[in-house]
Amino acid sequence: MDRRQLLDAFRNLDRRQFLDKMCQDLAGLDEPLPIGHGQPLSQPTLVLEMTALLDPEPGSRVLEIGTGSGYQTALLAPFSQMVCTVERIPELARQAEERLVRLGYANVRFRTGNGGTGWPEEAPFDRIIVTAAAGTVPPPLVGQLASPGRMVIPVGPRGWQNLLLITKDAAGKLAERVIEKVAFVELVGAYGWHQAKDNS
Ligand code: SAH
C-alpha cells in the first residue's frame, strides 16, 4: 500500500466519530479509549502501524477479527477490495455497522460471532488482522489465509503479548516475525488466554 495515502487517510479519519460523547474530547490523544462493554479502542498510532504491517492491496480480501468501534475497519476499507469483519459483542457489531454505513463505507461485510473460527464461507483471505490477543494463533485463521498472504495478530498471555506478522508464501510456507510487545484485550473463546504460554 502507498504509505503517503495511508498517512493521509489516517489524518483525515476523525476518531471522535467512533467514540461515545463522553470520550470525544479525548479523541486526539494517542491513548487507548473505552468503547463500552469493557472494550478499548487502541491508540491511533498502533492502529496505523498494524495497518501498514498488514499492507493490504487494492485487490485484497481482508478478514478483521474484533470490529469494536469500526475505527480500524475504516482505515482498512479504502485500501482493500473488501473487509469482512467479525465482532462477538452484538451491540458493538450493530453500532459499528450502523456507523460505517452512515459514513459511506460500501465494501465492508459484518458478522456477529466468534472470530477465532474465521469466516469459512468467505475464505480464503489475502490479509487477516486480529485486534484481540490470542493465546495461540488460531489454526482456522491460518487455514483461511491465502497463499501468498499476511496476518497480523497479537499472541501471548494476559498483560503483554507479542505482535506477530505471519506470512504465507505462494507455496503455502509459513514464516513468523515478532514485531513488538503490545497490550490487547483477550480474544474470547477457544484460542484465548487459557492456551497462552507465559512468554513475558
Ligand atoms: N479494532 C477495534 C478495537 C478492538 S478491541 C477498534 O478499532 O475499535 C477488541 C475487540 O475484539 C472487542 O470489541 C471484543 O469484543 C472483540 N473480540 C474479542 N474476542 C473476540 C472473538 N472471539 N471474536 C470476535 N471478536 C472478539
Side-chain angles (χ1 to χ4, degrees):
M1 73 195 303
D2 183 295
R3 295 302 153 98
R4 187 161 305 180
Q5 283 177 10
L6 172 61
L7 269 182
D8 283 345
F10 175 71
R11 290 198 191 100
N12 290 328
L13 188 59
D14 183 356
R15 199 160 72 133
R16 278 178 306 189
Q17 292 174 313
F18 298 83
L19 293 164
D20 289 341
K21 278 219 168 51
M22 214 176 65
C23 287
Q24 285 178 354
D25 287 350
L26 304 173
L29 298 176
D30 194 25
E31 301 285 347
L33 291 172
I35 57 171
H37 303 267
Q39 303 303 315
L41 168 47
S42 300
Q43 63 274 35
T45 50
L46 180 56
V47 177
L48 175 65
E49 185 189 2
M50 287 172 70
T51 308
L53 268 177
L54 193 70
D55 200 12
E57 289 165 0
S60 293
R61 291 164 48 81
V62 179
L63 174 66
E64 180 193 40
I65 308 301
T67 315
S69 67
Y71 176 78
Q72 169 76 79
T73 323
L75 196 56
L76 285 167
F79 300 98
S80 313
Q81 186 194 102
M82 164 161 106
V83 181
C84 293
T85 186
V86 186
E87 169 57 52
R88 63 175 283 276
I89 299 177
E91 181 65 6
L92 289 179
R94 195 191 58 71
Q95 281 173 3
E97 178 166 6
E98 192 246 9
R99 181 177 285 144
L100 290 175
V101 167
R102 179 165 39 81
L103 293 173
Y105 293 89
N107 60 340
V108 181
R109 301 197 50 195
F110 299 84
R111 182 182 221 182
T112 304
N114 177 9
T117 52
W119 194 327
E121 299 83 359
E122 291 289 345
F125 297 97
D126 306 296
R127 302 288 186 269
I128 298 180
I129 182 168
V130 183
T131 63
T136 55
V137 181
L141 298 186
V142 177
Q144 290 171 32
L145 187 63
S147 309
R150 293 166 77 86
M151 180 178 347
V152 174
I153 178 171
V155 177
R158 182 186 302 277
W160 294 95
Q161 304 92 34
N162 287 324
L163 184 64
L164 302 184
L165 171 62
I166 297 171
T167 50
K168 210 186 236 191
D169 70 13
K173 190 166 168 283
L174 291 166
E176 184 179 300
R177 219 174 91 201
V178 178
I179 305 299
E180 64 188 357
K181 292 279 183 195
V182 286
F184 275 88
V185 294
E186 183 177 19
L187 180 76
V188 177
Y191 306 106
W193 281 334
H194 61 279
Q195 290 211 2
K197 295 190 287 288
D198 194 340
N199 60 354
S200 50

